[in-house]
Coordinates of all heavy atoms in Angstrom, one line a residue:
M990 N -27.9 -22.9 15.2 CA -26.8 -22.3 14.5 C -27.1 -20.9 14.1 O -28.2 -20.7 13.4 CB -26.4 -23.2 13.3 CG -25.2 -22.7 12.6 SD -24.7 -23.7 11.2 CE -23.0 -23.8 11.5
K991 N -26.2 -20.0 14.4 CA -26.5 -18.6 14.0 C -26.1 -18.4 12.5 O -25.2 -18.9 12.0 CB -25.6 -17.7 14.8 CG -26.0 -17.5 16.3 CD -25.1 -16.5 16.9 CE -25.6 -16.3 18.4 NZ -24.8 -15.2 19.0
T992 N -26.9 -17.6 11.9 CA -26.6 -17.2 10.5 C -25.7 -16.0 10.5 O -25.5 -15.3 11.6 CB -27.9 -16.8 9.8 OG1 -28.5 -15.7 10.3 CG2 -28.9 -18.0 9.8
F993 N -25.2 -15.7 9.4 CA -24.4 -14.4 9.2 C -25.2 -13.2 9.6 O -24.7 -12.4 10.4 CB -23.9 -14.3 7.8 CG -23.2 -13.0 7.5 CD1 -21.9 -12.8 7.9 CD2 -23.8 -11.9 7.0 CE1 -21.2 -11.6 7.8 CE2 -23.2 -10.7 6.8 CZ -21.9 -10.6 7.2
D994 N -26.4 -13.1 9.2 CA -27.3 -12.0 9.5 C -27.5 -11.9 11.0 O -27.5 -10.8 11.6 CB -28.6 -12.0 8.8 CG -28.5 -11.7 7.3 OD1 -27.5 -11.1 6.9 OD2 -29.3 -12.2 6.6
D995 N -27.7 -13.0 11.7 CA -27.8 -13.0 13.2 C -26.6 -12.4 13.8 O -26.6 -11.6 14.7 CB -28.1 -14.4 13.7 CG -29.4 -15.0 13.3 OD1 -30.3 -14.2 13.0 OD2 -29.5 -16.2 13.3
M996 N -25.4 -12.9 13.4 CA -24.1 -12.4 14.0 C -23.9 -10.9 13.7 O -23.5 -10.2 14.5 CB -23.0 -13.3 13.5 CG -23.0 -14.7 14.1 SD -21.5 -15.6 13.7 CE -21.9 -16.2 12.1
L997 N -24.2 -10.5 12.4 CA -24.1 -9.1 12.1 C -25.0 -8.3 12.9 O -24.5 -7.2 13.4 CB -24.4 -8.9 10.6 CG -24.2 -7.5 10.1 CD1 -22.8 -7.0 10.3 CD2 -24.6 -7.4 8.6
D998 N -26.2 -8.7 13.1 CA -27.2 -7.9 13.9 C -26.6 -7.7 15.3 O -26.7 -6.6 15.9 CB -28.5 -8.5 14.0 CG -29.3 -8.4 12.6 OD1 -28.9 -7.6 11.8 OD2 -30.3 -9.2 12.5
E999 N -26.1 -8.8 15.8 CA -25.5 -8.7 17.2 C -24.3 -7.8 17.2 O -24.2 -7.0 18.2 CB -25.0 -10.2 17.6 CG -24.8 -10.3 19.0 CD -24.6 -11.8 19.3 OE1 -25.4 -12.6 19.0 OE2 -23.5 -12.1 19.9
R1000 N -23.4 -7.8 16.3 CA -22.2 -7.0 16.2 C -22.6 -5.5 16.0 O -22.0 -4.6 16.5 CB -21.3 -7.4 15.1 CG -20.6 -8.7 15.3 CD -19.7 -8.7 16.6 NE -18.8 -7.6 16.7 CZ -17.5 -7.5 16.3 NH1 -17.0 -8.6 15.8 NH2 -16.8 -6.4 16.5
L1001 N -23.7 -5.3 15.2 CA -24.1 -3.9 14.9 C -24.6 -3.1 16.2 O -24.8 -1.9 16.1 CB -25.1 -3.9 13.8 CG -24.6 -4.2 12.4 CD1 -25.7 -4.3 11.4 CD2 -23.6 -3.1 12.0
K1002 N -24.8 -3.9 17.2 CA -25.2 -3.2 18.5 C -24.1 -2.5 19.1 O -24.3 -1.5 19.9 CB -25.8 -4.3 19.5 CG -27.1 -4.9 19.0 CD -27.5 -6.0 20.0 CE -28.8 -6.7 19.5 NZ -29.1 -7.8 20.3
D1003 N -22.9 -2.8 18.7 CA -21.6 -2.2 19.2 C -21.5 -0.9 18.4 O -21.3 -1.0 17.1 CB -20.4 -3.1 19.0 CG -19.1 -2.4 19.5 OD1 -19.0 -1.2 19.5 OD2 -18.2 -3.2 19.7
I1004 N -21.5 0.3 19.0 CA -21.5 1.5 18.3 C -20.2 1.7 17.4 O -20.3 2.2 16.3 CB -21.6 2.7 19.3 CG1 -23.0 2.7 19.9 CG2 -21.4 4.1 18.6 CD1 -23.2 3.6 21.1
K1005 N -19.1 1.3 17.9 CA -17.8 1.4 17.2 C -17.9 0.5 15.9 O -17.5 1.0 14.9 CB -16.6 1.1 18.1 CG -16.3 2.1 19.1 CD -15.1 1.7 19.9 CE -14.8 2.7 21.0 NZ -13.7 2.3 21.8
F1006 N -18.3 -0.7 16.1 CA -18.4 -1.6 15.0 C -19.4 -1.0 14.0 O -19.1 -1.1 12.8 CB -18.9 -3.0 15.5 CG -19.0 -4.0 14.3 CD1 -17.9 -4.7 13.9 CD2 -20.2 -4.2 13.7 CE1 -18.0 -5.6 12.9 CE2 -20.3 -5.1 12.6 CZ -19.2 -5.8 12.3
R1007 N -20.5 -0.6 14.4 CA -21.6 0.0 13.5 C -21.0 1.1 12.7 O -21.2 1.2 11.5 CB -22.8 0.4 14.2 CG -23.9 1.1 13.3 CD -25.1 1.5 14.1 NE -25.8 0.4 14.6 CZ -26.8 -0.2 13.9 NH1 -27.1 0.2 12.7 NH2 -27.5 -1.2 14.5
K1008 N -20.2 2.0 13.3 CA -19.7 3.2 12.6 C -18.7 2.7 11.5 O -18.7 3.1 10.4 CB -18.9 4.1 13.5 CG -18.3 5.3 12.8 CD -17.8 6.3 13.7 CE -17.2 7.5 13.0 NZ -17.0 7.5 11.6
E1009 N -17.8 1.8 11.9 CA -16.9 1.2 10.9 C -17.6 0.5 9.8 O -17.2 0.7 8.6 CB -15.9 0.3 11.6 CG -14.9 0.9 12.5 CD -14.0 1.9 11.8 OE1 -13.6 1.7 10.7 OE2 -13.7 3.0 12.5
Y1010 N -18.6 -0.3 10.1 CA -19.4 -1.0 9.1 C -20.0 0.0 8.1 O -20.0 -0.2 6.9 CB -20.4 -1.9 9.8 CG -21.3 -2.7 8.9 CD1 -20.8 -3.9 8.4 CD2 -22.5 -2.3 8.5 CE1 -21.6 -4.7 7.5 CE2 -23.3 -3.0 7.7 CZ -22.8 -4.2 7.2 OH -23.6 -5.0 6.3
E1011 N -20.6 1.0 8.7 CA -21.3 2.0 7.8 C -20.3 2.8 7.0 O -20.6 3.1 5.8 CB -22.1 3.0 8.7 CG -23.4 2.3 9.3 CD -24.1 3.1 10.3 OE1 -23.6 4.2 10.7 OE2 -25.2 2.7 10.7
D1012 N -19.1 3.1 7.5 CA -18.1 3.8 6.8 C -17.6 3.1 5.6 O -17.2 3.7 4.6 CB -16.9 4.2 7.7 CG -17.2 5.2 8.7 OD1 -18.3 5.9 8.6 OD2 -16.4 5.4 9.7
I1013 N -17.6 1.7 5.6 CA -17.0 1.0 4.5 C -18.1 0.6 3.4 O -17.8 0.1 2.4 CB -16.3 -0.3 4.9 CG1 -17.3 -1.3 5.5 CG2 -15.1 0.0 5.8 CD1 -16.7 -2.7 5.7
Q1014 N -19.3 1.0 3.7 CA -20.4 0.6 2.8 C -20.2 1.2 1.3 O -20.5 0.4 0.4 CB -21.8 1.0 3.3 CG -22.2 0.1 4.5 CD -22.0 -1.4 4.2 OE1 -22.6 -1.9 3.3 NE2 -21.2 -2.0 5.0
P1015 N -19.7 2.4 1.1 CA -19.5 2.9 -0.2 C -18.5 2.0 -1.0 O -18.7 1.6 -2.2 CB -19.0 4.3 -0.1 CG -19.5 4.7 1.2 CD -19.5 3.5 2.1
E1016 N -17.5 1.5 -0.3 CA -16.5 0.6 -0.9 C -17.1 -0.7 -1.2 O -16.9 -1.4 -2.2 CB -15.3 0.5 0.0 CG -14.5 1.7 0.2 CD -13.5 1.7 1.4 OE1 -13.6 0.8 2.1 OE2 -12.8 2.7 1.5
M1017 N -17.9 -1.2 -0.2 CA -18.6 -2.5 -0.4 C -19.6 -2.4 -1.6 O -19.7 -3.4 -2.3 CB -19.3 -2.9 0.9 CG -18.4 -3.2 2.0 SD -17.2 -4.5 1.7 CE -18.3 -5.9 1.5
D1018 N -20.2 -1.3 -1.8 CA -21.1 -1.2 -3.0 C -20.4 -1.3 -4.3 O -20.9 -1.9 -5.2 CB -21.8 0.2 -2.9 CG -22.8 0.3 -1.8 OD1 -23.2 -0.8 -1.2 OD2 -23.2 1.4 -1.4
V1019 N -19.2 -0.7 -4.3 CA -18.4 -0.9 -5.6 C -18.0 -2.3 -5.8 O -18.1 -2.9 -6.9 CB -17.1 0.0 -5.5 CG1 -16.1 -0.3 -6.6 CG2 -17.5 1.5 -5.4
I1020 N -17.5 -3.0 -4.7 CA -17.2 -4.4 -4.8 C -18.3 -5.3 -5.3 O -18.2 -6.1 -6.1 CB -16.6 -4.9 -3.4 CG1 -15.3 -4.2 -3.2 CG2 -16.5 -6.4 -3.4 CD1 -14.8 -4.4 -1.7
R1021 N -19.5 -5.0 -4.7 CA -20.7 -5.8 -5.1 C -21.0 -5.6 -6.5 O -21.4 -6.5 -7.3 CB -21.9 -5.4 -4.2 CG -21.8 -5.9 -2.8 CD -23.1 -5.6 -2.0 NE -22.9 -5.8 -0.6 CZ -22.6 -4.9 0.3 NH1 -22.6 -3.6 -0.1 NH2 -22.4 -5.2 1.5
A1022 N -20.9 -4.3 -7.0 CA -21.2 -4.0 -8.4 C -20.2 -4.7 -9.3 O -20.6 -5.3 -10.4 CB -21.1 -2.5 -8.7
I1023 N -18.9 -4.8 -9.0 CA -17.9 -5.5 -9.8 C -18.2 -7.0 -9.8 O -18.2 -7.6 -10.9 CB -16.5 -5.2 -9.2 CG1 -16.1 -3.8 -9.5 CG2 -15.5 -6.2 -9.8 CD1 -14.9 -3.3 -8.7
V1024 N -18.5 -7.6 -8.7 CA -18.9 -9.0 -8.6 C -20.1 -9.3 -9.4 O -20.1 -10.3 -10.2 CB -19.0 -9.5 -7.1 CG1 -19.6 -10.9 -7.1 CG2 -17.7 -9.4 -6.4
D1025 N -21.1 -8.5 -9.3 CA -22.4 -8.7 -10.1 C -22.1 -8.6 -11.5 O -22.6 -9.4 -12.3 CB -23.4 -7.7 -9.7 CG -24.0 -7.9 -8.3 OD1 -23.8 -9.0 -7.7 OD2 -24.7 -7.0 -7.7
D1026 N -21.3 -7.6 -12.0 CA -20.9 -7.5 -13.4 C -20.2 -8.7 -13.9 O -20.4 -9.2 -15.0 CB -20.1 -6.2 -13.6 CG -19.8 -6.0 -15.1 OD1 -20.8 -5.9 -15.8 OD2 -18.7 -5.9 -15.4
E1027 N -19.3 -9.2 -13.1 CA -18.5 -10.4 -13.5 C -19.4 -11.6 -13.6 O -19.2 -12.4 -14.5 CB -17.4 -10.7 -12.5 CG -16.2 -9.7 -12.6 CD -15.1 -9.9 -11.6 OE1 -15.2 -10.8 -10.8 OE2 -14.2 -9.1 -11.6
K1028 N -20.4 -11.7 -12.7 CA -21.3 -12.9 -12.8 C -22.1 -12.8 -14.1 O -22.3 -13.8 -14.8 CB -22.3 -12.8 -11.6 CG -21.7 -13.3 -10.3 CD -22.8 -13.2 -9.2 CE -22.2 -13.5 -7.9 NZ -23.3 -13.3 -6.8
V1029 N -22.6 -11.6 -14.5 CA -23.3 -11.4 -15.7 C -22.4 -11.7 -16.9 O -22.9 -12.4 -17.8 CB -23.8 -9.9 -15.8 CG1 -24.4 -9.7 -17.2 CG2 -24.9 -9.7 -14.8
Q1030 N -21.2 -11.3 -16.9 CA -20.3 -11.6 -18.0 C -20.0 -13.1 -18.1 O -20.0 -13.7 -19.2 CB -18.9 -10.9 -17.8 CG -19.0 -9.4 -18.1 CD -17.7 -8.7 -17.9 OE1 -16.7 -9.3 -17.7 NE2 -17.7 -7.4 -17.9
I1031 N -19.9 -13.8 -17.0 CA -19.7 -15.3 -17.1 C -20.9 -16.0 -17.6 O -20.8 -16.8 -18.5 CB -19.3 -15.8 -15.6 CG1 -17.9 -15.3 -15.3 CG2 -19.4 -17.3 -15.6 CD1 -17.6 -15.6 -13.8
L1032 N -22.1 -15.6 -17.1 CA -23.3 -16.2 -17.6 C -23.5 -15.9 -19.1 O -23.9 -16.8 -19.9 CB -24.5 -15.7 -16.8 CG -24.6 -16.2 -15.4 CD1 -25.8 -15.5 -14.7 CD2 -24.8 -17.7 -15.3
T1033 N -23.2 -14.7 -19.5 CA -23.4 -14.3 -20.9 C -22.4 -15.1 -21.8 O -22.8 -15.6 -22.9 CB -23.1 -12.8 -21.1 OG1 -24.0 -12.1 -20.3 CG2 -23.3 -12.4 -22.6
Q1034 N -21.2 -15.3 -21.3 CA -20.2 -16.0 -22.0 C -20.6 -17.5 -22.2 O -20.5 -18.1 -23.2 CB -18.8 -15.9 -21.3 CG -17.7 -16.6 -22.1 CD -16.4 -16.4 -21.4 OE1 -16.3 -16.2 -20.2 NE2 -15.3 -16.4 -22.2
K1035 N -21.2 -18.1 -21.1 CA -21.6 -19.5 -21.1 C -22.7 -19.6 -22.1 O -22.8 -20.6 -22.9 CB -22.0 -19.9 -19.7 CG -20.9 -20.2 -18.8 CD -21.4 -20.7 -17.5 CE -20.2 -21.0 -16.6 NZ -20.6 -21.5 -15.2
N1036 N -23.7 -18.7 -22.1 CA -24.8 -18.7 -23.1 C -24.3 -18.6 -24.5 O -24.8 -19.3 -25.4 CB -25.8 -17.7 -22.8 CG -26.6 -18.0 -21.5 OD1 -26.8 -19.1 -21.2 ND2 -27.2 -17.0 -20.9
F1037 N -23.3 -17.8 -24.7 CA -22.8 -17.6 -26.1 C -22.1 -18.9 -26.5 O -22.3 -19.3 -27.7 CB -21.8 -16.4 -26.1 CG -21.1 -16.2 -27.4 CD1 -21.8 -15.6 -28.5 CD2 -19.8 -16.6 -27.6 CE1 -21.2 -15.5 -29.7 CE2 -19.2 -16.4 -28.8 CZ -19.9 -15.9 -29.9
Q1038 N -21.3 -19.5 -25.7 CA -20.6 -20.7 -26.0 C -21.6 -21.9 -26.3 O -21.4 -22.7 -27.1 CB -19.7 -21.1 -24.9 CG -18.5 -20.2 -24.8 CD -17.6 -20.5 -23.6 OE1 -17.9 -21.2 -22.8 NE2 -16.4 -19.9 -23.6
K1039 N -22.7 -21.9 -25.5 CA -23.7 -22.9 -25.7 C -24.4 -22.8 -27.1 O -24.8 -23.8 -27.7 CB -24.8 -22.9 -24.6 CG -25.6 -24.1 -24.5 CD -26.7 -24.1 -23.4 CE -26.7 -23.1 -22.4 NZ -27.8 -23.3 -21.4
D1040 N -24.6 -21.5 -27.5 CA -25.3 -21.3 -28.8 C -24.4 -21.6 -30.0 O -25.0 -21.8 -31.1 CB -25.7 -19.8 -28.9 CG -26.9 -19.5 -27.9 OD1 -27.5 -20.5 -27.4 OD2 -27.1 -18.3 -27.6
R1041 N -23.2 -21.7 -29.8 CA -22.3 -22.0 -31.0 C -22.3 -23.4 -31.4 O -22.4 -24.3 -31.1 CB -20.8 -21.6 -30.7 CG -20.8 -20.0 -30.5 CD -19.4 -19.6 -30.2 NE -19.1 -18.8 -31.4 CZ -17.9 -18.5 -31.9 NH1 -16.9 -19.0 -31.3 NH2 -17.7 -17.8 -32.9

């Protein structure tokens, strides 16, 4: 069974796909930062509630 990374590596061999993929990376970085921040907030909130 192929993993996501295997499939991505295969698709990145296509020059058009690679360009589009690279072009959206700044937007993906923002999305990853937001998701990471939300994870931290959820964990912090759970720890706060556990301490009460």
Side-chain angles (χ1 to χ4, degrees):
M990 179 180 227
K991 287 186 179 182
T992 65
F993 174 79
D994 288 335
D995 292 337
M996 288 188 276
L997 180 60
D998 288 343
E999 197 172 304
R1000 292 296 314 264
L1001 287 172
K1002 292 176 186 175
D1003 179 337
I1004 295 171
K1005 289 181 183 178
F1006 179 87
R1007 178 181 291 273
K1008 179 170 179 358
E1009 292 296 324
Y1010 181 81
E1011 290 171 352
D1012 287 348
I1013 66 167
Q1014 287 314 299
E1016 294 163 354
M1017 294 301 293
D1018 291 342
V1019 171
I1020 292 168
R1021 285 185 196 100
I1023 292 169
V1024 169
D1025 288 346
D1026 185 56
E1027 288 178 0
K1028 285 180 186 176
V1029 169
Q1030 287 180 8
I1031 289 169
L1032 291 174
T1033 303
Q1034 186 177 25
K1035 284 183 180 179
N1036 286 336
F1037 177 75
Q1038 289 174 348
K1039 195 181 346 179
D1040 291 341
R1041 293 184 114 202

